[in-house]
Amino acid sequence: MVDPSRGIDPNAIRLSDWPQLDERALTGEARTTFGQRRDAVEAYASGSSLLHIYKTWGIHRSTLHRMVRRALSAHPDGRLWGYRALVPHVHVQAYERNRAPHVLVHSTAGNAGAFGQLLQRHHNLAEQLRKEIETRKVHLQPGEKGRLVGLKAVIQRFHQSCRELGLGAGDYPLSQHDRAVRSLARTLRGWLQDDFDLAARAAGQRIKPASALRQLPERGSADAFDTVEFDAHKMDVRLKVIDNDPLGGEQSYEIERVWLLAIIDVATRCLLGYTLSFSRECNRFDAIETFKRAVTPAKVPELTLPGLRLLPTGGFVSQALEQTSYACWRQIRLDNARAHLAATSLDVVCEALGCAADFGPAYQPDDRPFIERYFGTVTATLSRRLPGAIRGKDAAKVMLKRLRDPNDTLRLLVTTQELEELLHVTVWNYHGSPHAGLGGLTPLEMMHRHVLGIGRDAIRLRLIPKPLREHPEQLHDPVLCRVHGNLGRGERPYITFYHVRYTSQKLARSSGLIGQRLRIHYDPSDLRQLWASTEDGHMLGSLFASGKWRDEPHSLRVRQQIFKAKRARELDFGPGDNPIEVFLALRRKQAKKRRRAASDIAQVQRERRTAKPPPTDSASETVTPEQTPSPLAKGPVKGKALRITRGYSR
C-alpha cells in the first residue's frame, strides 16, 4: 500500500511485471545513472533498508520513493513504465501548463503547452479536430510518414470556432504571431502517430485481414462450431428477372440490388449457412433466416444450367456430416448493423440458440477477417466473372451511365434464378477446394477432423432443442394477437395478422378463447400458415389464412408491399381476386422505370419457386359421426310449392 509519509511497501513491488530496458542503448553518464537506480530499486524490493541503499548507491529515501512511484505509473501503451522510468531525463507525465499564455506577436517563445491547455479548457475544439481526421478532411499522403493535406481549411475552421467561443485578438491562439498553426499541425500528427488505425484511415488505406491477424490479438478458434462470423455483403453485379406476362410473352427487367448474408465457421472455414436478399437494405428477418439455414439440414442443389459441375470432394456441412444437422455454435461475431442490433435478432442469437454475441467496433471489417475474406473470394470467383459485373470504386457511377445508355441491353445479364444456382455451386465447390489457411486441406476435410476426431479429440456438438427443429418459425419472437368472434351473431373465433384473417377447425370451435390473446409464431418467408399457442403455453397448432392468401405463397415483405400500395390507392382487389396477381400486374407496369419494382417481381418468383405444397387442415381434426355432413341428393329433385305469407306483395 502507498503511504505518502513512508513510501511504498516493498512487498507490493513485482519486478517481474515491469517492462525491461536494453541498457546497452544508453551511453556515458546516463548508462551509469540508470545502473545505480536499477540496483537500488531491486535492493529495495528485496527488503534492503533505506540506510543501506543510501550508503551503497547514494540515493536518498525520497528520491527512491519517487522513482518507484514513477515506475508504477501507467504508460500510454497500456503497461507500467517499469525500468523505463529509471532512465535520466525521461518524462513520465506530459507537460501541463498552469500559467496563462503570453501575448507574442513577433515571437513564438515562452508558450510551451499553451495549445494543450486550450484543448483542455475547450473540449469542443478537441472533438472538432478529431472529427476532421475521422472524416478525412485532413489526410496523409502516401509515404513513410506522410504529409498532412487539407490543413489550411482545417486551420480556418479551427480559428472560426475559436471566435465563436468568444476568443478575441488578445486571447490565445489568435494573439500569437503564427496563430498556433504549427502547434495545431504537431497535435494532429501526434494523434495520428499514437493511433495506427486512425492514421491508416486518414491516409485512405485499410489494413488487410491477414495483416490485422498479425498485428491484433488472435481472432482464430481451435474447435469447430465454437466461433462463427456473420455479415452481409452487397454484390456489385447487375441482375435481371424474366417475367411471363398474361399474354405469354417474356419481359426482362433489371432489379435494384442483391445482398449475400453468410455465416462462416472460423476454425474450419466452412460456410454453415447463406441467404440472398433482393431488398434495398437487409433487415432482421434476413439475418434470422440466415441463422435458421445455418442450423437446419441442407439439400443437394438441383442444377439446370449447362456446364455446371459439383466437385465430388465438395458439399454442404450438414449434407456431408449428418451428425452436424441442427448443431449450433458457442459464439457469433457481428458488426454494429441495425439489423444485427435489433431486439429480435439478439433474442434469437442469445436466447433461442443459446450462444454469445460479440459485437465488434463500427467500421472495422478487419475485426471479422474470415467472413470478409470469404466475401472477397466470392467477388473474385463469381461476381466479377459475370457479364454484369461492376468493378472499382465508381461502381454506382458506372451503373447510372449504363442505365442512361439507350443502347444498353439486358440480354447478357444473369437472372436471379441463375445467380442462386451459381452461388450453390460456388459454395459446394469451395468446401471441396484446398484452402491456404488450413495448410492445404479443404474446409470439409478440416470439419471431418474436428467432428470425427481424426488426429485430435472429437468435438462435442451442441444441438438446438427439439421444438425448434420441428417448428423453426419459433426462432422469431412471437406476436400477441387477440381472438375475435361473436356468439350472438354466430361469428366463429379468428385472429387478424397483417390485415388477413386466420383460423382453424380447432380455433373455430373454441368459443371460450374469444377476447383472449394468442402467441403467434410465423415464418416471414411464408405467411400462408401460422403456429399458435395460448398465453399459458397450451398448443393450438396451425392457423391458416383465409381466401386466396392460403393458396398463394407469399412472404411478409410482399404482403406489406401489397397493403402499402392499397393504402396509396395504386391497386384494389376484391374478396374473389388473387392479390398476388394484382400486385404483379402493378409491378409489371412500374418495372420498366423502377428497378425496385423488378426486385419485387423477383421476390415473388423465388417464393413461388421454393414454396411448399399448400397447407391443409384435414390432419389436425378427426371428424366424428355426428359431424359427418349429409350426402348430396342423387337423381332428379322434385320441387316444392312456394308459399308466400300474408303481407308480402307478389
Side-chain angles (χ1 to χ4, degrees):
M1 297 179 62
V2 178
D3 188 350
S5 60
R6 300 183 58 186
I8 300 176
D9 185 5
N11 298 325
I13 302 176
R14 300 179 57 181
L15 298 177
S16 59
D17 296 338
W18 288 18
Q20 297 291 331
L21 179 75
D22 186 9
E23 60 179 306
R24 293 176 297 179
L26 304 177
T27 58
E29 185 178 354
R31 183 173 183 177
T32 303
T33 304
F34 171 79
Q36 293 176 353
R37 294 178 177 180
R38 179 197 59 200
D39 297 339
V41 170
E42 291 178 351
Y44 178 70
S46 61
S48 298
S49 64
L50 295 175
L51 182 60
H52 172 71
I53 295 175
Y54 179 74
K55 290 181 177 181
T56 306
W57 292 283
I59 298 177
H60 194 265
R61 57 181 298 177
S62 60
T63 305
L64 180 65
H65 292 162
R66 181 177 58 86
M67 291 190 299
V68 174
R69 280 193 291 269
R70 284 165 48 91
L72 294 178
S73 59
H75 191 274
D77 63 0
R79 300 181 297 170
L80 299 177
W81 268 92
Y83 289 103
R84 296 174 292 181
L86 305 181
V87 178
H89 312 296
V90 169
H91 297 284
V92 175
Q93 295 182 352
Y95 174 72
E96 295 183 4
R97 185 183 181 89
N98 296 324
R99 299 178 58 183
H102 301 292
V103 178
L104 301 176
V105 180
H106 303 291
S107 177
T108 58
N111 277 342
F115 193 81
Q117 185 184 45
L118 175 68
L119 298 183
Q120 288 182 356
R121 291 180 177 178
H122 304 283
H123 298 285
N124 296 336
L125 296 178
E127 295 178 358
Q128 176 181 345
L129 293 180
R130 282 278 183 182
K131 189 174 296 184
E132 298 280 2
I133 299 177
E134 294 174 355
T135 57
R136 297 197 69 241
K137 293 181 179 179
V138 55
H139 58 276
L140 293 171
Q141 280 186 344
E144 183 177 355
K145 290 186 177 181
R147 175 178 174 270
L148 287 174
V149 179
L151 189 61
K152 185 176 181 180
V154 173
I155 293 173
Q156 294 177 354
R157 287 189 291 267
F158 182 78
H159 289 162
Q160 180 63 28
S161 300
C162 292
R163 297 187 186 97
E164 294 175 357
L165 291 175
L167 301 179
D171 301 320
Y172 185 89
L174 302 179
S175 62
Q176 304 302 300
H177 175 65
D178 61 345
R179 296 191 176 185
V181 171
R182 292 183 294 178
S183 298
L184 189 149
R186 283 195 298 266
T187 301
L188 293 179
R189 185 173 292 277
W191 287 350
L192 294 175
Q193 291 175 352
D194 294 339
D195 192 342
F196 178 79
D197 294 339
L198 186 64
R201 195 181 304 129
Q205 303 295 327
R206 187 180 72 85
I207 309 173
K208 294 183 179 180
S211 303
L213 286 179
R214 290 193 296 268
Q215 298 179 13
L216 298 178
E218 180 60 38
R219 301 288 291 171
S221 178
D223 298 326
F225 287 96
D226 177 77
T227 303
V228 298
E229 293 181 357
F230 168 75
D231 205 353
H233 168 66
K234 185 177 71 173
M235 304 182 69
D236 294 329
V237 60
R238 298 174 63 198
L239 297 175
K240 68 178 179 181
V241 55
I242 299 179
D243 181 55
N244 295 323
D245 55 24
L247 300 179
E250 286 189 354
Q251 299 292 335
S252 298
Y253 311 108
E254 184 173 357
I255 70 171
E256 189 173 23
R257 65 181 59 172
V258 58
W259 290 87
L260 172 61
L261 297 88
I263 295 180
I264 192 171
D265 183 73
V266 172
T268 63
R269 310 297 199 275
C270 285
L271 207 69
L272 302 182
Y274 58 95
T275 307
L276 283 179
S277 174
F278 300 132
S279 305
R280 172 171 290 185
E281 297 293 340
C282 301
N283 55 24
R284 56 191 176 95
F285 298 115
D286 297 326
I288 298 176
E289 180 66 21
T290 310
F291 299 155
K292 185 178 71 174
R293 295 192 179 186
V295 297
T296 53
K299 299 180 180 179
V300 180
E302 297 180 1
L303 304 183
T304 59
L305 295 177
L308 293 184
R309 184 175 62 90
L310 298 175
L311 292 179
T313 57
F316 300 137
V317 176
S318 57
Q319 175 266 337
L321 292 168
E322 296 183 359
Q323 55 267 49
T324 60
S325 300
Y326 306 106
C328 189
W329 47 86
R330 181 191 63 86
Q331 178 187 16
I332 182 171
R333 295 174 185 160
L334 312 97
D335 58 6
N336 284 273
R338 291 186 177 181
H340 309 161
L341 295 175
T344 307
S345 301
L346 292 180
D347 290 343
V348 170
V349 171
C350 301
E351 296 182 13
L353 298 180
C355 61
D358 178 12
F359 289 95
Y363 310 108
Q364 295 281 344
D366 296 333
D367 195 66
R368 298 168 305 281
F370 302 101
I371 188 64
E372 296 292 345
R373 183 63 186 89
Y374 176 76
F375 287 151
T377 301
V378 172
T379 302
T381 59
L382 179 61
S383 301
R384 291 184 179 176
R385 295 188 177 186
L386 298 179
I390 303 176
R391 306 178 183 179
K393 299 180 180 179
D394 300 331
K397 296 181 180 179
V398 175
M399 178 178 291
L400 289 176
K401 183 178 180 181
R402 290 182 177 179
L403 290 176
R404 293 168 181 168
D405 186 3
N407 298 324
D408 187 28
T409 178
L410 305 179
R411 182 175 56 87
L412 298 179
L413 296 186
V414 177
T415 64
T416 56
Q417 183 177 356
E418 293 171 345
L419 177 64
E420 292 183 24
E421 197 167 318
L422 291 172
L423 184 60
H424 294 331
V425 177
T426 301
V427 175
W428 180 288
N429 294 342
Y430 162 78
H431 286 159
S433 302
H435 198 290
L438 303 176
L441 297 177
T442 66
L444 269 186
E445 290 176 348
M446 183 61 71
M447 181 63 74
H448 276 83
R449 293 194 173 194
H450 283 251
V451 175
L452 302 180
I454 302 175
R456 50 160 294 153
D457 295 335
I459 62 173
R460 183 178 179 181
L461 296 174
R462 185 175 63 88
L463 306 181
I464 61 176
K466 188 176 181 180
L468 280 180
R469 306 180 203 175
E470 299 176 353
H471 299 282
E473 60 270 13
Q474 293 187 15
L475 286 174
H476 299 271
D477 279 353
V479 179
L480 295 178
C481 295
R482 189 172 298 277
V483 179
H484 302 280
N486 193 304
L487 292 177
R489 296 196 303 263
E491 189 176 11
R492 292 184 177 274
Y494 69 92
I495 67 168
T496 301
F497 183 79
Y498 280 97
H499 315 288
V500 177
R501 289 189 176 188
Y502 286 81
T503 188
S504 65
Q505 294 184 16
K506 188 172 183 179
L507 177 61
R509 292 204 311 268
S510 304
S511 57
L513 295 177
I514 296 178
Q516 299 185 14
R517 295 190 302 178
L518 301 181
R519 292 170 55 89
I520 303 300
H521 296 271
Y522 62 98
D523 183 3
S525 61
D526 191 356
L527 293 186
R528 294 177 297 173
Q529 180 179 353
L530 306 178
W531 191 75
S533 64
T534 60
E535 286 189 294
D536 53 0
H538 293 286
M539 305 297 180
L540 288 179
S542 300
L543 304 182
F544 305 93
S546 60
K548 295 292 185 179
W549 297 103
R550 180 173 179 175
D551 301 327
E552 280 286 347
H554 62 283
S555 63
L556 176 63
R557 174 194 167 193
V558 171
R559 184 182 293 185
Q560 289 174 337
Q561 293 293 331
I562 290 175
F563 283 96
K564 180 180 178 181
K566 188 175 183 180
R567 288 192 298 269
R569 298 185 178 182
E570 295 181 352
L571 59 82
D572 190 16
F573 51 88
D577 297 333
N578 190 334
I580 309 299
E581 291 295 338
V582 177
F583 176 70
L584 283 177
L586 173 65
R587 287 297 187 251
R588 291 188 183 106
K589 296 178 182 179
Q590 302 171 342
K592 293 183 179 180
K593 297 182 180 180
R594 294 176 52 191
R595 291 185 296 150
R596 194 171 186 180
S599 299
D600 292 339
I601 297 177
Q603 179 73 16
V604 174
Q605 287 186 358
R606 183 173 67 170
E607 292 169 4
R608 289 180 170 180
R609 188 170 60 250
T610 60
K612 299 178 182 178
T616 58
D617 199 10
S618 59
S620 60
E621 297 292 334
T622 303
V623 180
T624 60
E626 292 79 3
Q627 297 173 341
T628 305
S630 58
L632 298 177
K634 297 181 180 180
V637 180
K638 183 179 180 180
K640 295 183 179 181
L642 179 62
R643 182 180 179 182
I644 302 177
T645 59
R646 180 177 297 180
Y648 289 89
S649 63
R650 294 180 181 273

